[in-house]
Amino acid sequence: QAPARMMPLMLGHGSIWVLGLVGMGFAARSVRWRVSEREQAERALQRQYGFMNEIMNSLTHPFYVIDAEDHRVILANRASGFGDRVGTSTCYALTHGRTEPCDGRDACPLEEVRRTGEPVVVEHIHYDTAGFPRTSEVHGYPVFDDEGNIAQMIEYNLDITERKRAEEERRKLDTRLQAAAKQESLAVLAGGVAHDFNNLLVAILGNADLALAELPPLAPGRDKIADIEKASRRAADLCKQMLAFSGRGHFTVEGLDLSALVNEISHLLEVTISKKAVLECNLAEDVPAIEADTTQIRQIIMNLITNATEAIGDRGGVISISTGAVECDRAYLTETYLDDDLPEGLYSYAEVTDTGCGMDEETRERIFDPFFTTKFTGRGLGLAAVLGIVRGHRGALKVHSEPGRGTTFRVLFPVTDVRAVQRSGEAAQPGALPGSGTVLLVDDEETVRAVGRRMLELSGFAVLTAADGREALRVFTEHRREITCVVLDLTMPQMDGEETLRELRLIQSDVRVVLSSGYDEGEIIGRFRGKGLAGFVQKPYDAATLVAEVGQAMGIELGC
């Protein structure tokens, strides 16, 4: 620049024109420099915006910016699915399909951010582009203006629908496992109590039976003993319910048509229900047969009808019972109460529905507990016994109930190829038995041995007794030529009935053995199938039952 300033002195008047040209050159160059800087800044901003846009669109979860004043979505990534609606639509319209902001039904992330002024994380129900609800974990971050006010909110959504579903499935599974463990513990307890109580009842019922047989018809104490016998039989019925709850009830399995069974007991059902209730029967024809104990299935239906009647109470209503068959897949069976990995396939069902008071979730979780009731204490084992019988038949049970909307119980049983038995009338009752021969009675309970011995002796049998398996082997070895039948208790200390039976077979392979137990016949027969049992008598028994079973094992014909 110094030579340029000296030029006017050297060139005279022409220097003014030269100096002007030089000044104009400098000005043009300055303008070009300013334009270049602005273009560079704009290009840098565009690159920065494009880079940020690529980052946003690379995110696999919805990310967007919401205006804090009018809830407009002013920026969003591709994963949000908002498309060209960005800048014109609100967040509640895009994620909820609403025309107004959230009304408090679930937490609004924007309102939470505005209220706290801090980042928030809330669970929120959003709807996807197809209109299906999705559970989102919403992360909201406030954006402040120059005056410190919240101008926008950055929202980032994590779809946790599947995680929530998995957590719910895990919670249900844990609940089912806990319920199964509880029921199994209660079943073991109930079975053990029933078994021990049955031993006591043998003595009570047996002695009452013997006393009635020995007393003359007009004896003063006869009525009192008859009352003892009646109470003992009611106690025995309670034991049967406890065994049914434990899944170890007395089963006599045969082919059974559910529709035919319900039709057979329909007159009993009409008497059972309240006079203010109406009974409706919807029985399907040609329902596939099931293998079941008729008495136990009858008890299930009666218990469910009784439960429905109590649910209706004095208000009046409708009780309907229906039968049919349904194809059950794994998903359906998983939703049944205490699913035991039942096989998929065709199941026949009986369903009882009432229009009564219904149940809440807390009540539904306890209805199968022994002696639980919403009425008053001491009602018994109705639904608990139902559950045990269903479990014992390898069936399934579904319950649907809502407060004020009634209850539906559906019991399902796997179908069988066995034809349903055509039942006609009651089975003939055994008559008197003229006993002969010697019976070895083995039981660890002294009262059972004493009563059983008296029962058999009154029918003409000679009786030897043993208190356990080891003594039984000794007595049998000494008297094997005269013993024609062994009545053997299954549950004994030191050497149980199964081991004793095995040792008896080694001594004499064709020995006639009648097992005795408080557990069910179906379980015993299955457990000892192929081992040559001559019979089974379930405790508690009376004289007629014991003598009839021993006589049948020994081939003695029944009297008329």
Side-chain angles (χ1 to χ4, degrees), residues 423-427:
R423 303 178 62 85
S424 57
E426 295 295 328

Coordinates of all heavy atoms in Angstrom, one line a residue, residues 423-427:
R423 N -75.8 -97.0 31.8 CA -76.1 -97.3 33.2 C -77.6 -97.4 33.3 O -78.4 -96.7 32.8 CB -75.7 -96.1 34.1 CG -74.2 -95.9 34.0 CD -73.7 -94.7 34.9 NE -74.0 -95.0 36.3 CZ -73.2 -95.7 37.0 NH1 -72.0 -96.2 36.5 NH2 -73.5 -95.9 38.3
S424 N -78.0 -98.5 34.1 CA -79.5 -98.7 34.3 C -79.7 -99.1 35.8 O -79.4 -100.3 36.1 CB -80.0 -99.7 33.4 OG -79.3 -100.9 33.5
G425 N -80.1 -98.2 36.6 CA -80.4 -98.6 38.0 C -79.2 -98.6 38.8 O -78.1 -98.5 38.4
E426 N -79.4 -99.0 40.1 CA -78.3 -99.1 41.0 C -77.8 -100.5 41.0 O -78.4 -101.5 40.7 CB -78.8 -98.7 42.5 CG -79.3 -97.3 42.6 CD -78.2 -96.3 42.4 OE1 -77.0 -96.7 42.8 OE2 -78.4 -95.2 41.9
A427 N -76.5 -100.6 41.4 CA -75.9 -101.9 41.5 C -76.5 -102.7 42.7 O -76.9 -102.2 43.6 CB -74.4 -101.7 41.7

